[in-house]
Amino acid sequence: MAVAMTPKICCVNSTVGLLQTRRPNSSDWTTWRQSCLRSVSSLKFQTSFTASPLTVSMAATLPPKAERLISGIYVQSERHKQMTHSILPEKLELIKSLDAWAGENVLPYLKPVEKCWQPQDQLPEPSSDGFYDEVKELRARAANLPDDYLVVLVGDMITEEALPTYQSMLNTFDGTNDETGASPTPWGVWTRAWTAEENRHGDLLNKYLYLTGRVNMKAVEKTIQYLIGSGMEPQTENNPYLGFVYTSFQERATFISHGNTARHAKEFGDAKLATICGLIAADEKRHENAYCKIVEKLFEVDPDGAMLAFGDMMRKKIAMPAHLMYDGVDRNLFTNFSMVAQRTGTYTAKDYADILEHLVNRWNVQKVEGLSPEGRRAQEFVCTLAPRVRKLEERAQLKPKRAPKTGTVSWIFDREVQMW
Ligand SMILES: [Fe+2]
Ligand SMILES: [Fe+2]
């Protein structure tokens, strides 16, 4: 979910895997990391934005064209290997020392199950005599939703439905993972309860879209299966510093996206769907606050480490969780979905810059002191990035408009929609 200026961001060859095992304890994380990166002869590490082509969308880190597909499932090639377990032992100890703090400060962001809305609260009641009438009303309301709106809503729903991938991702973070599957640590509790809250999002959107009769559910279900099979590549390196920067950004991005689908549903006359998207957006906001609180704490106890992590994730750009999306037909499905989201104003390059700026302000990044030279460079980078992204977007707007491009999408029975 980002700005698709330089889609291929970090290709590290498999030598990194060997380098990792020789990580020196004495070196700090950045020095070690940079020396690893420098040592890789065929390294292609793109850290700066380039202006062309400025097709601004969520398609930040798409899989390379040379990806291998096994039965349609994306499999990372050797060439595309990423760094893993990059956290240094002392940082890991610091993370582990935050257990009690997480219990007191992160878990309160969860909502007790009995106080949570459930999908059924928003759907026709199947045991009631009025079920068929309620479904009829739902379908009448949804009849006016335009195809491009449906494409974006389905894309959002599919993203939510790939939740197993996100729980797996959280459990890749060293020091905060749920080690047993039922770990009593605050981090373990958070991950499971966060997943349980998130599970309602895909569930509700899926059932609602099914009842509308407007979308090709089999194509949607295939996309979900492909996506969960493919996973995601957030480039968080098993490192909770990077991971919680990623989740802070991502939860805000979904808050914005669901907020916009709510607003658009209202404009198209489906007030019920607006309520549904609004409820989901509110959850995302609460989750964003929790993840931001964690990074805020990291800035407090380890300002340099937190700054380097923030800078690193922003250099790599925040990839949308569903960037490996595929429906068995369209290899550009995610790009097309992102284009429609951009064109309809659901999630745009401006949103990307706004989120970044929001996080810079939220963590008071400009005022952080006591940084190493690398930390100061990261600070400078993140503090000046949002205006640079905006400037690039403005420049793109000034360019002659490209001829509109249309394409078919399997989710809406191969009807044509305008991509841009
Ligand atoms: Fe969600
Ligand atoms: Fe979320």
Side-chain angles (χ1 to χ4, degrees), residues 160 198 201 251 254 258 280 284:
E160 294 286 352
E198 285 282 340
H201 301 173
E251 292 286 19
T254 44
H258 289 305
I280 296 172
E284 308 292 12

Side-chain angles (χ1 to χ4, degrees), residues 78-361:
E78 280 295 297
R79 198 174 61 73
H80 195 59
K81 263 197 175 164
Q82 293 175 28
M83 186 170 288
T84 53
H85 302 286
S86 63
I87 193 165
L88 282 172
E90 58 267 29
K91 307 268 182 199
L92 189 57
E93 283 313 305
L94 191 148
I95 289 286
K96 286 181 178 168
S97 75
L98 295 178
D99 262 28
W101 175 87
E104 282 165 26
N105 294 278
V106 181
L107 295 189
Y109 284 98
L110 294 167
K111 218 170 175 182
V113 174
E114 296 302 329
K115 289 191 174 162
C116 280
W117 56 265
Q118 294 301 331
Q120 189 50 52
D121 302 333
Q122 306 301 322
L123 294 164
E125 173 51 53
S127 64
S128 101
D129 290 341
F131 177 69
Y132 293 109
D133 289 337
E134 282 183 66
V135 172
K136 235 179 183 175
E137 285 163 26
L138 183 156
R139 291 164 82 99
R141 284 192 311 267
N144 296 322
L145 299 172
D147 279 344
D148 53 8
Y149 177 84
L150 287 172
V151 166
V152 176
L153 189 65
V154 168
D156 283 356
M157 178 265 267
I158 289 168
T159 306
E160 294 286 352
E161 288 283 59
L163 183 61
T165 298
Y166 317 138
Q167 185 175 21
S168 300
M169 186 202 84
L170 287 175
N171 281 326
T172 66
F173 298 169
D174 293 326
T176 62
N177 55 334
D178 178 359
E179 285 183 316
T180 64
S183 163
T185 66
W187 300 113
V189 171
W190 166 263
T191 297
R192 293 192 303 276
W194 171 86
T195 305
E197 287 193 4
E198 285 282 340
N199 188 52
R200 291 138 63 242
H201 301 173
D203 195 3
L204 176 52
L205 289 174
N206 192 323
K207 283 178 178 155
Y208 193 89
L209 280 162
Y210 168 81
L211 289 173
T212 65
R214 297 286 313 279
V215 303
N216 182 341
M217 285 308 294
K218 181 154 183 183
V220 168
E221 287 159 351
K222 274 169 62 182
T223 312
I224 294 168
Q225 187 174 353
Y226 276 123
L227 182 58
I228 295 174
S230 292
M232 69 187 289
E233 296 180 317
Q235 303 188 85
T236 44
E237 306 176 8
N238 313 97
N239 186 325
Y241 279 69
L242 300 176
F244 291 131
V245 168
Y246 179 87
T247 52
S248 298
F249 192 106
Q250 200 50 59
E251 292 286 19
R252 187 161 184 86
T254 44
F255 159 68
I256 289 169
S257 182
H258 289 305
N260 284 328
T261 52
R263 187 166 54 81
H264 296 158
K266 202 170 177 192
E267 285 165 14
F268 298 130
D270 194 338
K272 187 72 198 172
L273 181 55
T275 302
I276 286 171
C277 296
L279 283 169
I280 296 172
D283 274 3
E284 308 292 12
K285 179 88 189 126
R286 187 159 44 79
H287 295 162
E288 175 210 330
N289 286 334
Y291 288 119
C292 279
K293 184 95 182 165
I294 298 171
V295 178
E296 181 183 64
K297 183 67 178 173
L298 293 178
F299 267 109
E300 181 195 317
V301 296
D302 181 10
D304 205 52
M307 190 68 78
L308 291 169
F310 191 20
D312 188 37
M313 282 315 296
M314 295 319 301
R315 279 186 199 281
K316 291 191 282 200
K317 302 183 192 94
I318 303 291
M320 262 293 272
H323 65 133
L324 300 177
M325 187 182 270
Y326 181 57
D327 61 354
V329 182
D330 183 1
R331 292 288 290 273
N332 295 314
L333 182 63
F334 180 74
T335 308
N336 290 337
F337 156 56
S338 305
M339 292 295 175
V340 181
Q342 165 79 24
R343 186 179 59 72
T344 56
T346 314
Y347 185 78
T348 67
K350 184 183 169 299
D351 293 320
Y352 190 91
D354 287 349
I355 295 169
L356 169 57
E357 200 164 70
H358 170 85
L359 295 178
V360 166
N361 293 331

Side-chain angles (χ1 to χ4, degrees), residues 352-354 356-357 381-391:
Y352 190 91
D354 287 349
L356 169 57
E357 200 164 70
F381 176 74
V382 293
C383 290
T384 55
L385 184 55
R388 278 184 285 144
V389 172
R390 286 212 183 88
K391 208 172 266 176

